[in-house]
Amino acid sequence: MRAWLSIVPILLFACARPTPAATPPIAAAPSSPAPPVVERVDASAQPLFAAAQVEGVFVMRSLTTGEQIVTDAALAGVGELPASTFKIPNALIGLERGVLAGADATLKWDGARRGGSPEWDRDHDLGSALRDSAVWFFQEVARRIGAEAMRASLIAFAYGNADIGGGIDRFWLQGALRISPREQVEFMSRLHRRALPVAREHMALVEHMLTRAQAPGWSWRGKTGLTAHEGRAVGWLVGLVERRGTTWAYALMLRAPEAEAERLMPVRVELARALLVRYGALPAEAGR
């Protein structure tokens, strides 16, 4: 396992490919004041994590009522590398700074095979780069944004510790950036409310591009992330769910020994789906 991990030292895994969205970009939500957050700890979901043989936490907030469910109060506040979930703010900053001209903004692949997913090894536009989690695409976007603008944007976003130490093209992969599940949920909440300091159309576009699955009456959006450091694998799925006029922001974070990192790839999606169904955000048939 370790020999395979060494092929891609800056990011270990591709994200699962979401179902392509077939509808036009969603309408921008009003940037009205958010309701006060009222957190409720529900430890009854812990057997789901135990059955999957992972340590983990799930946070889900109703953007309508402010009710926030947390399955592990302590772990919900622990900062970890965001890995590929950082592609969400990276895309927003790239659009806002003019590095990306829009959904069809294309970067040419340089021909270097970096390991990971074979879908990475081709030209990508923003939509396909998000869908296939093309690491090199977003590394180039970050280099073009530059350290000063990146740091300023992350501070303005209140994105985790906003620390870009470790290199402009790897700080979210192996560097100093850390974000907790609660902070991920807050960031996604602000994205949906159009309360981030970027153009509303950029927020609407990126949110739409996160669509994993949808049907009449509901939609499931999210971005996976997976990396390993200090002997531990960390897996993420963060996003938004809309159903019956209510929107929820959610974050799932999983941890396991580094040697089990590849196992987390399907587990993070199945566990997130099960928890979203458990708490009523998704219907039972969603994502099947």
Side-chain angles (χ1 to χ4, degrees):
M1 177 68 179
R2 288 185 180 275
W4 177 76
L5 290 175
S6 67
I7 297 173
V8 192
I10 55 174
L11 182 65
L12 304 176
F13 309 97
C15 297
R17 294 183 67 175
T19 302
T23 57
I26 55 176
S31 55
S32 56
V37 176
V38 179
E39 186 166 285
R40 173 170 66 89
V41 178
D42 179 18
S44 70
Q46 285 304 315
L48 293 176
F49 294 92
Q53 298 181 307
V54 293
E55 177 188 30
V57 60
F58 181 71
V59 181
M60 186 180 84
R61 179 189 303 178
S62 167
L63 306 190
T64 304
T65 67
E67 180 189 27
Q68 180 161 290
I69 298 170
V70 175
T71 61
D72 184 318
L75 196 54
V78 173
E80 284 284 3
L81 282 162
S84 286
T85 67
F86 183 73
K87 290 179 174 66
I88 302 173
N90 203 357
L92 290 169
I93 298 166
L95 289 165
E96 189 71 10
R97 298 282 177 168
V99 169
L100 297 169
D104 298 327
T106 301
L107 296 181
K108 293 287 186 180
W109 177 46
D110 63 6
R113 298 189 182 277
R114 298 170 174 85
S117 172
E119 285 87 0
W120 295 354
D121 298 339
R122 62 181 180 87
D123 298 349
H124 278 281
D125 60 25
L126 177 57
S128 67
L130 276 170
R131 183 192 66 230
D132 295 335
S133 205
V135 177
W136 68 263
F137 182 99
F138 287 95
Q139 288 183 303
E140 180 60 23
V141 169
R143 286 190 288 265
R144 295 185 185 188
I145 290 168
E148 184 178 349
M150 182 70 79
R151 183 182 295 108
S153 295
L154 293 185
I155 291 171
F157 284 0
Y159 189 86
N161 64 3
D163 190 337
I164 66 169
I168 187 58
D169 58 2
R170 63 184 61 208
F171 63 85
W172 67 95
L173 304 171
Q174 288 187 318
L177 185 61
R178 297 291 185 273
I179 190 167
S180 72
R182 282 194 186 96
E183 290 169 330
Q184 291 268 31
V185 165
E186 174 62 21
F187 176 75
M188 295 306 299
S189 170
R190 293 178 67 203
L191 171 65
H192 184 73
R193 292 190 294 107
R194 310 296 183 252
L196 295 170
V198 297
R200 294 169 67 85
E201 59 267 28
H202 294 159
M203 289 183 276
L205 175 63
V206 172
E207 182 175 334
H208 168 68
M209 286 182 166
L210 299 177
T211 303
R212 299 188 61 84
Q214 58 188 1
W218 61 269
S219 66
W220 180 13
R221 298 183 170 89
K223 183 71 193 75
T224 52
L226 189 59
T227 190
H229 66 108
E230 299 173 350
R232 182 171 63 218
V234 179
W236 290 99
L237 180 54
V238 307
L240 296 157
V241 172
E242 294 178 85
R243 186 186 186 197
R244 298 174 182 169
T246 296
T247 301
W248 293 268
Y250 69 90
L252 174 76
M253 184 181 74
L254 304 179
R255 303 198 298 194
E258 183 178 305
E260 300 178 21
E262 192 170 6
R263 184 176 67 84
L264 295 185
M265 295 179 72
V267 169
R268 59 192 171 176
V269 177
E270 284 303 311
L271 197 50
R273 191 198 70 82
L275 288 160
L276 289 165
V277 170
R278 177 188 181 92
Y279 293 118
L282 281 179
E285 68 273 15
R288 291 296 191 184

